[in-house]
Amino acid sequence: MSQTYYFWKGDEITSMTGNNIFVYGANPEFKNGAGAALTARNFGAKPYGGGRGIVGNTYGLITKNLTPGFLEKETGIVYQRYGRRSVSKNMISDNIDELYQCAIQNPHLKFFLAFKNTGQNLNGYSNKEIWELFTRNKTVPSNIRFHNSFRDLLVHN
């Protein structure tokens, strides 16, 4: 069976209302102070301590840890590493599965991923690695929206 992907166009997401959810790379402390996490504050993410799942019109996907030894109370996970590549690919993949389950349970919502196939990610993974984490061996729900720049990877994979 072939997978169909849906995309959003434009340089930046500047509005997120109604049934639209802004999905951004987060840290388990939800210190939303840089990159797309800072933008998420415009859509209802809390500056500090947001928690997993939907907050306002946002969904923080944990992809990086900032504090060595941080204990995430919701899950009991202790993050030993910090900085670039501090959250393993397996853990990010599990977090994406959690996002996809949320999308399946909320078919009336559309989830717009802030990740792009341009520039660098603050988490230290390449854009191709991020794309593969979202798509390889996964069934992507139809209410997930990738940035149009990832279409290039469809052709080359």
Side-chain angles (χ1 to χ4, degrees):
M1 185 171 102
S2 173
Q3 173 74 56
T4 300
Y5 301 105
Y6 297 92
F7 298 91
W8 64 271
K9 295 180 182 180
D11 291 332
E12 301 294 329
I13 295 174
T14 58
S15 177
M16 196 61 35
T17 60
N19 291 340
N20 298 318
I21 304 297
F22 182 80
V23 180
Y24 64 99
N27 60 76
E29 296 175 75
F30 289 91
K31 289 184 177 178
N32 297 321
L38 181 60
T39 301
R41 290 168 60 176
N42 296 330
F43 311 133
K46 298 175 184 176
Y48 296 97
R52 288 182 176 251
I54 296 171
V55 177
N57 284 81
T58 71
Y59 186 105
L61 181 74
I62 296 173
T63 60
K64 179 180 178 179
N65 182 45
L66 302 177
T67 305
F70 179 76
L71 168 65
E72 184 182 18
K73 292 177 184 172
E74 295 90 350
T75 63
I77 296 170
V78 176
Y79 295 84
Q80 298 300 331
R81 299 180 62 206
Y82 67 98
R84 295 172 55 82
R85 293 181 174 256
S86 56
V87 177
S88 72
K89 285 184 178 182
N90 285 340
M91 191 173 286
I92 293 173
S93 180
D94 289 347
N95 292 339
I96 291 169
D97 291 344
E98 189 177 307
L99 165 67
Y100 287 177
Q101 191 60 41
C102 180
I104 290 166
Q105 292 171 349
N106 293 281
H108 63 289
L109 300 176
K110 289 183 184 170
F111 295 80
F112 292 81
L113 279 61
F115 299 92
K116 296 181 183 177
N117 188 24
T118 58
Q120 294 184 346
N121 294 299
L122 296 178
N123 59 40
Y125 292 101
S126 73
N127 299 318
K128 184 176 181 182
E129 287 173 305
I130 293 295
W131 171 255
E132 289 173 352
L133 287 169
F134 276 104
T135 60
R136 182 170 283 158
N137 300 320
K138 295 191 186 292
T139 301
V140 179
S142 61
N143 54 342
I144 296 289
R145 303 292 185 265
F146 296 99
H147 186 261
N148 196 49
S149 60
F150 282 110
R151 284 185 185 272
D152 291 345
L153 295 179
L154 288 176
V155 176
H156 298 103
N157 282 341

